[in-house]
Amino acid sequence: MENVIIIGTGCAGLTAAVYAARANLSPLVLEGAQPGGQLTTTSEVENYPGFPEGVDGFELMDRMRKQAERFGARFEFATIEKVDFSGSVRKLYAGDKIYEARGIIIATGASPRLLGVPGESEMFGGKGVTTCATCDGAFYRDMDVVVVGGGDSACEEALFLTRFCSKVTLIHRRDTLRASQIMADRTLAHEKVHPVWDSVVEEILADESGQVRGVRIANRDSGERSEISCKGVFIAIGHIPNTAPFREFLEVDDLGYFVPEAGSAIRTRVPGVYAAGDCSDHVYRQAVTAAGLGCQAAIECERWLAEQE
Ligand code: NAP
């Protein structure tokens, strides 16, 4: 049986791995379908402290992984399909394999919801399609961009992009924003934000070099099609937290995010089981906040394990 199993290798999981490994817990870290997590889909990370020139997202995650390995973390590929937290030995099921541990840190992240239209996957990450204005906005200085969505995230992304971009077209499938009133008002009042209502993106268009050159949209009422030129497409239509296998045992909110115990950011209702990073945080969703939560989870897990002895 393992001391602690960490599920996920994004910022939260790898930071937890560094701390748990340095505490001599020899953690087993399970890597799922996207090793390194969401940061590996972005090109340059300019807001992670300690890298004044920025750092490639993939490289940052690779460095975290090596740091964890240096102190004794072990890695295995496994996608957890279900769990059993009913006994003192926590069980994780991945295909035919059953993992057993005393402590568990869940850092499975969240996946941005995507449109599923032609051009989206082809130009995702570095070619003009992205889901993170905080990560990629600065690359679109003095350019026209499109934001898709009508919630708080879309408004936040659109407002953030006004700092860099010449024009931000906000495409929403209805004629009112879902976002909170204050965010909606602020967004629509901004001179650089141009809303396009009742419209869906049907295709993201590429130039001859395979970079985004625009989007083709359709008006849902009239069916009329048109094109909007832009260099970047920011998709902000929500996230899907990767919490499904755990929901029988752990509390999640209406959106599917883990709900921590009162007074804690990472403790779940099952003792010794912690949740850290974007699977429980839909407010900040930053690499550095995820890392902080991973650190907290590892420290609490270490203390909890010590108490059990
Ligand atoms: P959200 O509130 O679920 O909004 C998603 C938006 O995307 C909606 O406007 C939705 O349209 C649209 N959408 C969904 N699927 C689509 C599709 N396939 N094609 C086109 N449009 C689609 O998600 P969110 O904005 O990420 O916010 C999630 C939660 O985090 C919310 O509770 C939000 O308040 C919170 N949040 C808060 C802040 C803040 O307080 N600063 C910032 C970000 C997020 P419909 O409106 O037609 O459904």
Side-chain angles (χ1 to χ4, degrees), residues 54-110:
V55 57
D56 177 78
F58 187 85
E59 187 192 336
L60 179 62
M61 302 319 297
D62 192 47
R63 281 168 172 260
M64 285 192 198
R65 186 193 163 110
K66 286 189 175 122
Q67 196 173 354
E69 278 174 332
R70 180 181 154 210
F71 296 111
R74 296 158 297 130
F75 289 78
E76 260 184 46
F77 282 103
T79 299
I80 300 305
E81 288 140 10
K82 66 175 183 153
V83 300
D84 182 354
F85 292 159
S86 59
S88 60
V89 177
R90 317 292 183 210
K91 293 184 179 159
L92 309 174
Y93 298 85
D96 297 340
K97 193 145 187 188
I98 304 173
Y99 294 92
E100 294 184 340
R102 290 191 292 157
I104 302 281
I105 296 174
I106 303 167
T108 44

Side-chain angles (χ1 to χ4, degrees), residues 220-303:
R220 293 178 85 191
D221 295 333
S222 65
E224 191 186 325
R225 294 194 160 84
S226 56
E227 284 187 16
I228 297 173
S229 296
C230 63
K231 293 286 185 197
V233 178
F234 290 78
I235 298 163
I237 59 171
H239 280 75
I240 305 167
N242 301 318
T243 58
F246 311 96
R247 291 184 189 181
E248 188 186 338
F249 294 93
L250 304 182
E251 190 184 351
V252 295
D253 66 15
D254 305 347
L255 301 168
Y257 291 86
F258 289 122
V259 178
E261 290 288 273
S264 164
I266 41 82
R267 224 177 290 144
T268 72
R269 66 180 170 204
V270 178
V273 176
Y274 305 89
D278 285 14
C279 58
S280 57
D281 165 29
H282 57 75
V283 179
Y284 301 107
R285 295 197 300 232
Q286 298 302 299
V288 67
T289 51
L293 290 166
C295 162
Q296 289 183 44
I299 290 174
E300 287 232 11
C301 188
E302 179 200 349
R303 290 178 184 164

Side-chain angles (χ1 to χ4, degrees), residues 38 112-114 124 129-133 136 157 233-235 239:
Q38 287 186 61
R113 190 174 283 131
L114 294 173
F124 195 87
V129 181
T130 166
T131 52
C132 180
D136 297 329
E157 301 276 277
V233 178
F234 290 78
I235 298 163
H239 280 75

